[in-house]
């Protein structure tokens, strides 16, 4: 794994977060290098700098002297930026960060965007930008060439202004956008709202939340077998829109549920869904923005339900699920249990058996399996 990056703005040591000794992936990509090389070809404009979706702080660190504002939906990205600042001798407390739903500062001089492959997140961010940029704002975006489509450029055109793209370099491409004098005045389509089948509940999903327009099939399978009335404090780990924990609150008048996710939009969606559908249960609902269960005390909950992601940002990986399972074992008391739903091919059964010494198959179909592991 390469950790040393040379840029026109200096040389840096960079790691992904959370750092793993056997992680073969580096903390930056060709799009980061392309952006920094291009920005260095002319002086940066004077004024506020906004950086969006900087995965582990590479761009924020390189442009640190310009006091950029890092805008991200990811708690892990924020922690990654803080750790890489510290690793390179800069106090992490100097990081200026805000979540991707917060209003942006007016009249930015420079906006740098790492293009998410999730177009809904990109569109939400462009909508917020359309409210604050001016024709003098310089906007430059970058991403993998294979993920910058004509539809991507059309979003920039729709919400901001004239848009062009660069030649590809190392399978990365840049986007240049010239903001219009008059911002687009169109309806913001986010969050989306849809009915939860079989109930009277309405589910709100902000732009970057998984399965944004309908119930995902893994969660649907888990809801059919969700354990009720046998635990007093449950963690919905990797909660997304919170549909699992929400259903527990609606079915059990005595259970407390903690909704935990690393996405700000997920936590906001979960909170809004409790407020909208079971407002009387709000006192029994708790919301935690975190990397898995970092710093959560042992015995905090007697049950954890989990529909693990198998990707981090744009990288397919199983280390998040492994950390979720490891953290769950630490946090659960003796006799507490972990319920997991996942694709059959992901082999969660053996992972849980290695950690807990036991695994029970609760239900299975052609695609998914629900597993239960008990802390002995």
């Amino acid at each position: 794994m390469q950790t040393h990056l040379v840029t026109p703005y200096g040389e840096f040591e960079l790691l992904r977060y959370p750092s793993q000794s056997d992680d073969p992936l580096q903390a930056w990509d060709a799009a980061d290098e392309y952006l920094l090389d291009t920005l260095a070809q002319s002086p940066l404009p004077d004024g506020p700098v906004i950086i969006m979706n900087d995965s582990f702080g590479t761009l924020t660190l390189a442009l640190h002297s310009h006091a950029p504002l890092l805008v991200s939906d990811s708690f892990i990205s924020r922690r990654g930026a803080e750790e890489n600042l510290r690793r390179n001798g800069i106090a992490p407390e100097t990081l200026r960060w805000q979540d991707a739903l917060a209003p942006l500062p007016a009249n930015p001089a420079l906006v740098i965007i790492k293009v998410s492959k999730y177009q809904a997140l990109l569109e939400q961010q462009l909508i917020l930008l359309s409210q604050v940029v001016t024709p003098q704002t310089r906007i430059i975006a970058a991403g993998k060439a294979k993920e910058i489509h004509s539809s991507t450029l059309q979003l920039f055109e729709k919400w901001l202004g004239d848009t062009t793209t660069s030649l590809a370099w190392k399978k990365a491409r840049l986007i240049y956008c010239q903001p219009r004098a008059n911002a687009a005045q169109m309806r913001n389509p986010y969050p989306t709202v849809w009915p939860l089948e079989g109930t009277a509940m309405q589910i709100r999903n902000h732009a970057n939340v998984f399965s944004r327009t309908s119930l995902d099939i893994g969660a649907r399978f888990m809801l059919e077998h969700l354990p009720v009335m046998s635990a007093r404090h449950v963690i919905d780990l990797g909660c997304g829109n919170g549909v699992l924990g929400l259903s527990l609150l609606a079915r059990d008048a005595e259970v407390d549920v903690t909704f935990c996710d690393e996405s700000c939009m997920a936590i906001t969606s979960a909170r809004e869904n409790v407020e909208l559908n079971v407002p009387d249960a709000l006192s029994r609902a708790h919301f935690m923005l975190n990397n898995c269960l970092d710093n959560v005390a042992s015995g905090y909950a007697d049950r954890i339900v989990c529909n693990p992601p198998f990707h981090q940002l744009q990288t397919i990986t199983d280390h998040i699920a492994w950390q979720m399972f490891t953290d769950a074992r630490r946090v659960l008391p003796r006799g507490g249990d972990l319920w997991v739903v996942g694709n059959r091919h992901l082999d969660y059964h053996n992972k849980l058996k290695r950690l807990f010494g036991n695994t029970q198959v609760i239900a299975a179909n052609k695609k998914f399996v629900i597993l239960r592991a008990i802390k002995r």
Side-chain angles (χ1 to χ4, degrees):
M1 173 183 60
Q2 187 176 356
T3 62
H4 186 75
L5 175 64
V6 179
T7 80
Y9 297 95
E11 300 183 19
F12 307 104
E13 291 296 322
L14 299 164
L15 290 175
R16 295 167 64 89
Y17 181 90
S19 178
Q20 302 174 85
S21 59
D22 59 347
D23 188 351
L25 302 172
Q26 62 188 30
W28 70 93
D29 59 17
D32 292 314
E33 296 181 71
Y34 200 177
L35 266 172
L36 293 174
D37 288 346
T38 300
L39 289 170
Q41 292 173 15
S42 60
L44 298 188
D46 293 330
V49 176
I50 296 174
I51 300 176
M52 292 182 157
N53 310 327
D54 187 10
S55 298
F56 300 103
T58 301
L59 302 171
T60 304
L61 177 59
L63 301 178
H64 182 261
S65 63
H66 297 271
L69 173 67
L70 173 57
V71 177
S72 173
D73 185 50
S74 169
F75 178 86
I76 288 175
S77 290
R78 177 184 179 179
R79 283 287 179 262
E82 290 173 339
E83 287 300 314
N84 280 323
L85 286 172
R86 180 185 292 111
R87 190 169 286 111
N88 289 274
I90 300 171
E93 295 79 13
T94 63
L95 176 68
R96 298 175 60 238
W97 178 90
Q98 71 179 42
D99 73 75
L101 284 172
L104 297 170
N107 306 321
L110 174 64
V111 177
I112 301 167
I113 306 171
K114 284 295 291 297
V115 175
S116 169
K117 73 174 182 179
Y118 303 109
Q119 288 210 348
L121 172 61
L122 175 63
E123 184 172 26
Q124 166 70 17
Q125 293 178 319
L126 296 181
I127 291 169
L128 291 180
L129 280 172
S130 71
Q131 300 165 9
V132 299
V133 296
T134 72
Q136 289 71 47
T137 303
R138 182 182 178 189
I139 299 176
I140 181 170
K144 295 180 180 178
K146 67 180 181 180
E147 292 173 357
I148 295 178
H149 311 289
S150 58
S151 59
T152 311
L153 305 180
Q154 288 165 7
L155 285 180
F156 280 83
E157 293 267 4
K158 174 181 178 180
W159 291 105
L160 295 178
D162 292 341
T163 301
T164 58
T165 186
S166 73
L167 298 174
W169 177 81
K170 290 187 176 180
K171 300 183 180 180
R173 193 179 296 278
L174 302 181
I175 298 171
Y176 303 98
C177 184
Q178 175 59 55
R180 288 185 292 267
N182 297 314
Q185 299 295 322
M186 292 174 280
R187 185 184 70 85
N188 186 342
Y190 307 106
T192 52
V193 181
W194 42 269
L196 180 60
E197 55 198 57
T199 75
M201 293 193 283
Q202 296 286 313
I203 301 300
R204 287 169 61 87
N205 265 58
H206 284 279
N208 199 38
V209 180
F210 178 69
S211 198
R212 186 174 48 81
T213 59
S214 63
L215 182 65
D216 80 88
I217 53 178
R220 178 184 291 113
F221 190 46
M222 180 68 121
L223 285 175
E224 295 171 2
H225 303 276
L226 197 63
V228 182
M229 307 293 289
S230 56
R232 295 304 83 211
H233 192 167
V234 177
I235 297 174
D236 184 352
L237 180 57
C239 65
N241 58 32
V243 67
L244 298 181
L246 176 68
S247 297
L248 286 172
L249 289 172
R251 298 181 196 182
D252 185 346
E254 296 183 4
V255 71
D256 279 39
V257 176
T258 294
F259 298 84
C260 182
D261 206 290
E262 74 95 26
S263 161
C264 303
M265 290 189 183
I267 292 297
T268 300
S269 298
R271 184 188 299 274
E272 291 178 355
N273 284 326
V274 174
E275 292 171 345
L276 176 66
N277 294 290
V278 285
D280 293 344
L282 196 56
S283 63
R284 297 185 283 117
H286 317 278
F287 303 91
M288 181 187 298
L289 185 66
N290 200 355
N291 171 41
C292 297
L293 295 174
D294 282 358
N295 303 314
V296 177
S298 176
Y300 178 82
D302 50 344
R303 172 165 295 150
I304 296 172
V305 296
C306 186
N307 182 4
F310 50 89
H311 56 83
Q312 180 181 29
L313 302 173
Q314 298 184 22
T315 303
I316 295 175
T317 176
D318 69 349
H319 85 264
I320 297 175
W322 182 253
Q323 184 178 348
M324 285 179 163
F325 301 160
T326 303
D327 286 359
R329 187 182 184 282
R330 173 180 54 79
V331 168
L332 287 168
R334 187 173 300 174
D337 57 359
L338 169 65
W339 290 61
V340 175
V341 60
N343 292 80
R344 295 174 66 105
H345 72 272
L346 294 174
D347 196 32
Y348 289 158
H349 184 280
N350 286 322
K351 287 180 171 63
L352 292 172
K353 195 167 184 179
R354 284 170 57 193
L355 277 172
F356 288 83
N358 67 93
T359 310
Q360 176 187 359
V361 177
I362 299 297
N365 61 23
K366 291 182 179 180
K367 185 163 183 145
F368 290 97
V369 61
I370 297 173
L371 304 169
R372 180 192 184 207
I374 302 170
K375 184 172 178 179
R376 302 298 189 190

